[in-house]
């Protein structure tokens, strides 16, 4: 069975050049970056100029038969609002791009620029998430989507629950699959029970299970656990491209699910794209043919 594939958690940037809590993040060459004062392999080494562009991602998407992708943001990459607004204009049929904002005024500017949601790296926000309530209410009124990554403990669970209850029509996607390998996993996933427009996406799940590596059997079991708590219709696949493809290929970020005998074809169809198509409102997506590898 073939599945419509939509990636609910990815990143793009022209250049990393920022500071986070006094520590440096800066693109170097050959896919490397200074990340919080340490040199790391941020991108695959063939991305020699440090540019993580929409065009390279589209090439990966076409090869892996991924029809659409949601592009979120993180403080560690610096604000990419201008670039992502341009990407949204040029590739509206393939991308759902999120802006970065931390106030109602900034969020209005993001919306006016054509970006369709706001990504909040909550795990890097030091004040209460409730301080952002005016922004969340404005997003609800404008029909924007909130992408939220939470801290890996219980600190922000109650705050996020209050946001969901206060903004009943706000569409919310909880990222990093609720920090699946930490004690807050179940509490984060259960936030999907607090409102009818709350989803859980798996961006970063292969990073969190990196020590186990492909085919990530514990990740599959965690997906099944989450489905038993809130239903498979609340879960979405996300790759966390491009950082995760320093360890695995882009196709591997989902085919450990599509090839698993633990999930039904119906569950795979929902998780890998059906839920994201409905939640984000993707329109006419391309049918991408399988291109055989030369080595096959």
């Amino acid at each position: 069975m073939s599945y419509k594939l939509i990636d609910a958690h990815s990143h793009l940037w022209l250049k990393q050049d920022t500071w986070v809590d006094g520590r440096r993040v800066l693109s170097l060459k050959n896919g490397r970056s200074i990340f919080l004062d340490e040199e790391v392999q941020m991108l695959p080494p063939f991305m020699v100029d440090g540019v993580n562009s929409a065009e390279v991602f589209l090439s990966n998407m076409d090869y892996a038969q991924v029809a659409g992708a949601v592009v979120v943001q993180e403080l560690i990459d610096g604000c990419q609002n201008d670039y992502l607004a341009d990407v949204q204009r040029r590739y509206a049929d393939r991308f759902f791009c999120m802006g970065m904002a931390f106030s109602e005024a900034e969020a209005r500017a993001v919306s006016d620029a054509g970006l369709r949601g706001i990504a909040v790296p909550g795990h890097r926000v030091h004040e209460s998430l409730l301080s952002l309530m005016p922004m969340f209410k404005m997003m609800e009124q404008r029909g924007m989507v909130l992408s939220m990554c939470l801290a890996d403990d219980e600190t922000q669970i109650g705050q996020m629950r209050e946001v969901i209850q206060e903004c009943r029509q706000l569409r919310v996607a909880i990222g990093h699959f609720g920090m699946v390998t930490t004690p807050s996993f179940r509490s984060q996933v259960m936030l999907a029970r607090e409102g009818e427009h709350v989803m859980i996406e798996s961006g970063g799940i292969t990073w969190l299970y990196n020590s186990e590596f492909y085919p990530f059997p514990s990740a599959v079991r965690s997906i099944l656990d989450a489905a038993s708590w809130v239903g498979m219709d609340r879960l979405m696949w996300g790759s966390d491209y491009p950082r995760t493809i320093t360890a695995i290929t882009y196709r591997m970020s989902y085919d450990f699910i599509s090839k698993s005998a633990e999930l039904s074809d119906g569950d795979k169809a929902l998780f890998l794209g059906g839920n994201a198509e409905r939640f984000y409102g993707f329109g006419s997506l391309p049918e991408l043919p399988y291109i055989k590898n030369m080595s096959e």
Side-chain angles (χ1 to χ4, degrees):
M1 180 177 178
S2 61
Y3 308 101
K4 182 174 291 185
L5 301 169
I6 297 175
D7 188 342
H9 189 119
S10 65
H11 300 273
L12 296 173
W13 61 78
L14 287 180
K15 183 179 181 180
Q16 294 175 313
D17 185 1
T18 192
W19 296 82
V20 178
D21 294 332
R23 291 187 288 175
R24 194 74 169 109
V25 183
L26 180 67
S27 296
L28 302 176
K29 61 180 182 178
N30 299 333
R32 298 180 183 180
S33 292
I34 300 297
F35 174 61
L36 305 180
D37 296 337
E38 178 186 10
E39 185 171 336
V40 300
Q41 193 72 44
M42 181 71 66
L43 301 169
F46 55 77
M47 297 169 74
V48 295
D49 58 2
V51 176
N52 171 32
S53 71
E55 288 75 22
V56 171
F57 189 22
L58 282 168
S59 181
N60 272 283
M61 289 167 63
D62 289 351
Y63 170 71
Q65 297 175 277
V66 176
V70 179
V71 183
V72 302
Q73 295 199 52
E74 232 276 33
L75 284 177
I76 61 174
D77 302 324
C79 182
Q80 302 292 326
N81 286 351
D82 291 344
Y83 178 54
L84 293 187
D86 180 57
V87 169
Q88 187 67 71
R89 284 190 295 269
R90 290 188 291 126
Y91 304 111
D93 59 330
R94 304 294 298 274
F95 291 125
F96 186 109
C97 293
M98 300 271 191
M100 182 180 289
F102 294 97
S103 72
E104 182 180 355
E106 291 176 354
R108 288 185 184 278
V110 163
S111 177
D112 292 344
L115 293 167
R116 305 173 68 184
I118 291 173
V120 177
H123 57 306
R124 301 192 193 278
V125 174
H126 300 303
E127 63 269 19
S128 169
L129 298 178
L130 300 181
S131 66
L132 301 176
M133 190 67 80
M135 181 177 84
F136 298 146
K137 289 185 175 181
M138 187 279 297
M139 293 174 61
E140 180 184 28
Q141 292 169 357
R142 292 200 175 194
M144 301 178 77
V145 175
L146 171 64
S147 169
M148 175 66 72
C149 292
L150 297 171
D152 59 3
D153 56 27
E154 300 286 327
T155 303
Q156 296 175 323
I157 302 298
Q159 298 168 23
M160 198 63 229
R161 184 181 297 115
E162 190 168 339
V163 170
I164 293 166
Q165 292 173 350
E166 185 73 16
C167 304
R168 303 301 298 183
Q169 298 305 310
L170 178 63
R171 287 178 290 163
V172 180
I174 305 295
H176 293 164
F177 212 59
M179 291 303 292
V180 60
T181 56
T182 73
S184 69
F185 171 47
R186 191 175 192 278
S187 296
Q188 291 201 31
V189 170
M190 292 297 286
L191 288 169
R193 283 193 170 185
E194 299 295 331
E196 60 178 314
H197 304 295
V198 183
M199 303 288 284
I200 312 296
E201 48 92 342
S202 73
I205 196 169
T206 61
W207 150 60
L208 289 161
Y209 283 109
N210 182 65
S211 61
E212 181 179 88
F213 204 63
Y214 187 88
F216 307 107
S218 296
V220 173
R221 287 193 292 271
S222 294
I223 292 167
L224 291 170
D225 285 342
S228 72
W229 300 333
V230 300
M232 189 61 78
D233 62 333
R234 294 300 186 94
L235 309 180
M236 303 182 292
W237 164 65
S239 70
D240 211 3
Y241 174 100
R243 282 180 267 271
T244 48
I245 65 166
T246 58
I248 58 176
T249 68
Y250 188 43
R251 188 182 293 275
M252 288 166 71
S253 71
Y254 71 78
D255 76 358
F256 77 94
I257 298 163
S258 64
K259 292 178 179 177
S260 173
E262 301 295 313
L263 289 88
S264 70
D265 281 342
D267 284 346
K268 292 173 184 177
L270 289 175
F271 186 80
L272 291 172
N275 292 334
E277 183 177 28
R278 166 183 55 84
F279 181 72
Y280 293 102
F282 276 94
S284 179
L285 291 168
E287 295 288 337
L288 300 169
Y290 177 74
I291 304 299
K292 183 176 72 172
N293 288 330
M294 188 194 72
S295 56
E296 291 183 66

